[in-house]
């Protein structure tokens, strides 16, 4: 099967860590509904900054501006493919 959200270099959060907000960037290789969810260290959903259908291409969004300091997991899912990134807000 085709890897919808490609690993490492093509899915990134920068700057990370940050003291304000960061950009999440990913390559979408097939159109579908992208959902971005942010979980705290206890596994609780604390933000859902994006939930919409996209065409293929490079997508960028902002995360973290409304989050308190801490360690987070950002879960990006599209077309049953899931990619999880670590995110630190200082």
């Amino acid at each position: 099967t085709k890897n919808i959200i490609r690993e490492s270099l093509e899915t990134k959060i920068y700057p990370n860590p940050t003291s304000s907000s960061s950009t999440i960037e990913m390559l979408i290789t097939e159109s579908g509904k992208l959902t971005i969810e942010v979980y705290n260290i206890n596994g609780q959903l604390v933000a859902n900054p994006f939930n919409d259908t996209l065409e293929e291409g490079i997508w960028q969004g902002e995360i973290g501006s409304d989050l308190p300091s801490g360690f987070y997991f950002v879960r990006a899912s599209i077309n049953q493919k899931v990619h999880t990134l670590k995110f630190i807000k200082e």
Side-chain angles (χ1 to χ4, degrees):
T1 61
K2 195 156 73 165
N3 189 7
I4 304 302
I5 300 175
R6 295 186 186 162
E7 299 294 319
S8 66
L9 292 177
E10 291 159 348
T11 302
K12 56 192 171 196
I13 297 175
Y14 58 89
N16 188 13
T18 183
S19 57
S20 57
S21 67
S22 287
T23 298
I24 181 169
E25 179 180 288
M26 59 183 53
L27 177 65
I28 308 296
T29 59
E30 187 177 293
S31 62
K33 185 173 185 181
L34 174 65
T35 302
I36 304 290
E37 297 169 319
V38 182
Y39 293 88
N40 66 16
I41 196 73
N42 298 318
Q44 297 165 304
L45 180 65
V46 294
N48 186 357
F50 193 82
N51 191 10
D52 205 355
T53 301
L54 294 174
E55 297 302 314
E56 47 186 89
I58 294 186
W59 175 84
Q60 289 184 332
E62 184 183 288
I63 61 166
S65 61
D66 54 350
L67 295 173
S69 296
F71 184 93
Y72 298 93
F73 294 100
V74 179
R75 183 180 186 271
S77 58
I78 187 169
N79 300 338
Q80 288 79 51
K81 302 290 183 188
V82 177
H83 189 69
T84 304
L85 300 164
K86 295 175 184 143
F87 173 66
I88 299 170
K89 172 86 179 268
E90 295 178 322

